[in-house]
Amino acid sequence: MNNRVYNFYAGPGALPLPVLERAHAELFNFQNLGMSVMELSHRTPQMQMIIDDSAERIKQQMGLGDAFEVIFLQGGGSLQFIMIPLNLSRPGEAIDYIDTGHWTQRAIEEAERLPRDVAVIATTADSDHNHLPADLPYRPEAKYVHICTNNTTTGTQWRSLPKIGVPYVADMSSDFLARVLDVAPFDLIYAHAQKNIGLSGVTAVIIRKSLLADIPDDLPKLLDYRTHIDKRSNYHTPACFSMYITWLMLQWLEDEIGGVAAMAAINEQKAKLLYDYIDNSSFYRCPVPEEYRSVMNVVFHLETAALEGEFVVAAEKAGFVGVGAHRTRTGCRVSLYNAVTVEAVEALIAFMYQFEKGK
């Protein structure tokens, strides 16, 4: 489709053209039911199949085995900021957080609303969050340590995690199913779908079964993970169309890309192309040291804020959207989620070269 732009938004992000084409083809008549998937009751076998098959595909792609449950919730990552401490701790208990930018700060703020002993055990605020902490002085009595594996606003990503002796809780919203990952250190993983595996409206939560017995019994049912596990992510009406797109995305990842390992190689290739160009240019500058750089979100600066604004405007006119920084920061940002192609990155680099040449 010649009229499509190159989409580098940080979320909701790009969708693969084959997924859009299949959704378009099935829009009016899903599985010969004579209606759209948007019209299906959430109680139909077809919708439950979409949910169950999506959970099974995630388990297979991540090698989860029987030790974990996979559920799909609403409320984005933001709802998980409060559900996690409610489910995994009780009043007065210790919970530890690592501050690496905007979204971890949001998670900390929500946890501090509860009567919990919240500690920020490491922060990178002193360097404007352009690196990751070397040490995690967790408290042995902590119920968990919360970490964000990829920081969309600051362009940093944990490539390996320090070993700790308490459960790891991870916000993986922006690198979920985008790289090969050892799940052994994690006890709870959450990721909203709108970056790598679908639309807004669906959040995948992966929780180790051994944690379920300690969830407090006095939680509202809607905020209790066990409710959604028991009802197979269908306790109340899910975001049916968003769930359907996640299902299509998971099939695309497996059948057309070849799985997470193949996707990870493509993502590394995209990031290397862009970082190499930036590093070899005196016109663009990445503020993140190489060892901390995100494969998903590449942040960079031009010489002045005015020039950055001009770059963003010119990029959009040329068909490259979503290259402005997060609203809380200056500079530029390019998001390289699963659906962004190598060809899109190559086209962006060509534009960056022409913009630089014209200055």
Side-chain angles (χ1 to χ4, degrees):
M1 294 186 179
N2 295 329
N3 61 339
R4 284 181 59 77
V5 298
Y6 293 107
N7 184 351
F8 296 103
Y9 277 120
L15 291 174
L17 190 57
V19 167
L20 292 171
E21 289 173 338
R22 182 173 169 188
H24 179 265
E26 296 180 344
L27 187 62
F28 299 99
N29 187 6
F30 175 67
Q31 294 191 347
N32 294 318
L33 294 174
M35 67 178 107
S36 169
V37 71
M38 290 185 288
E39 302 171 272
L40 280 177
S41 167
H42 61 297
R43 300 299 184 195
T44 59
Q46 292 84 5
M47 184 53 63
Q48 192 62 57
M49 177 275 296
I50 288 172
I51 294 170
D52 293 344
D53 190 57
S54 296
E56 187 58 35
R57 288 176 184 272
I58 288 174
K59 283 186 175 183
Q60 290 175 358
Q61 286 297 319
M62 297 185 71
L64 292 174
D66 294 331
F68 292 89
E69 296 280 3
V70 178
I71 53 177
F72 301 100
L73 304 178
Q74 300 176 51
S78 297
L79 180 60
Q80 295 312 303
F81 297 161
I82 199 70
M83 280 189 74
I84 288 165
L86 282 173
N87 279 262
L88 302 189
S89 65
R90 288 177 166 79
E93 290 184 330
I95 51 178
D96 290 351
Y97 284 75
I98 305 163
D99 169 27
T100 50
H102 177 77
W103 293 109
T104 56
Q105 290 167 354
R106 290 274 300 272
I108 292 164
E109 289 169 3
E110 287 301 300
E112 288 176 339
R113 294 176 182 273
L114 298 174
R116 304 295 194 269
D117 178 9
V118 180
V120 178
I121 61 170
T123 180
T124 53
D126 60 339
S127 66
D128 199 27
H129 300 296
N130 72 350
H131 73 288
L132 295 170
D135 298 313
L136 302 183
Y138 69 92
R139 295 175 292 177
E141 70 273 19
K143 302 302 290 185
Y144 62 81
V145 170
H146 179 282
I147 193 169
C148 184
T149 55
N150 184 78
N151 299 284
T152 58
T153 60
T154 57
T156 61
Q157 185 179 35
W158 293 86
R159 296 306 184 93
S160 61
L161 297 178
K163 291 184 178 180
I164 61 174
V166 298
Y168 255 130
V169 168
D171 178 354
M172 290 188 189
S173 292
S174 50
D175 58 358
F176 187 65
L177 295 182
R179 59 171 170 162
V180 177
L181 194 69
D182 177 14
V183 298
F186 300 102
D187 288 83
L188 189 147
I189 295 167
Y190 65 101
H192 54 75
Q194 65 190 31
K195 300 180 186 296
N196 283 308
I197 59 162
L199 305 179
S200 58
V202 170
T203 299
V205 176
I206 299 167
I207 185 169
R208 193 178 292 273
K209 291 178 181 178
S210 59
L211 296 183
L212 300 176
D214 293 330
I215 292 176
D217 289 327
D218 60 350
L219 294 182
K221 293 187 72 174
L222 190 62
L223 299 179
D224 189 325
Y225 288 130
R226 296 170 300 186
T227 299
H228 303 283
I229 292 168
D230 292 343
K231 299 299 182 182
R232 294 159 60 193
S233 302
N234 215 334
Y235 170 66
H236 63 147
T237 308
C240 294
F241 188 74
S242 293
M243 191 69 244
Y244 162 74
I245 295 296
T246 291
W247 181 58
L248 296 188
M249 284 286 288
L250 292 169
Q251 292 177 70
W252 168 81
L253 175 63
E254 184 176 351
D255 300 338
E256 299 198 35
I257 298 300
V260 172
M263 189 77 259
I266 295 170
N267 288 335
E268 291 283 352
Q269 180 187 2
K270 293 183 296 187
K272 186 177 189 305
L273 283 170
L274 187 51
Y275 281 123
D276 282 352
Y277 177 75
I278 292 170
D279 288 342
N280 288 308
S281 166
S282 59
F283 190 76
Y284 304 98
R285 177 182 61 86
C286 177
V288 181
E290 186 174 353
E291 62 267 33
Y292 304 119
R293 289 178 176 177
S294 169
V295 172
M296 297 280 93
N297 308 97
V298 178
V299 298
F300 58 93
H301 291 280
L302 285 73
E303 186 174 351
T304 66
L307 196 57
E308 289 168 351
E310 187 180 340
F311 174 84
V312 172
V313 171
E316 187 164 348
K317 287 182 179 178
F320 302 93
V321 301
V323 300
H326 186 265
R327 64 185 181 277
T328 62
R329 301 181 71 83
T330 60
C332 301
R333 172 179 59 175
V334 172
S335 296
L336 305 177
Y337 299 139
N338 284 355
V340 175
T341 63
V342 173
E343 292 74 21
V345 177
E346 292 172 335
L348 175 66
I349 291 170
F351 166 78
M352 293 171 70
Y353 172 78
Q354 291 299 325
F355 185 84
E356 177 181 355
K357 189 177 178 182
K359 297 301 171 183

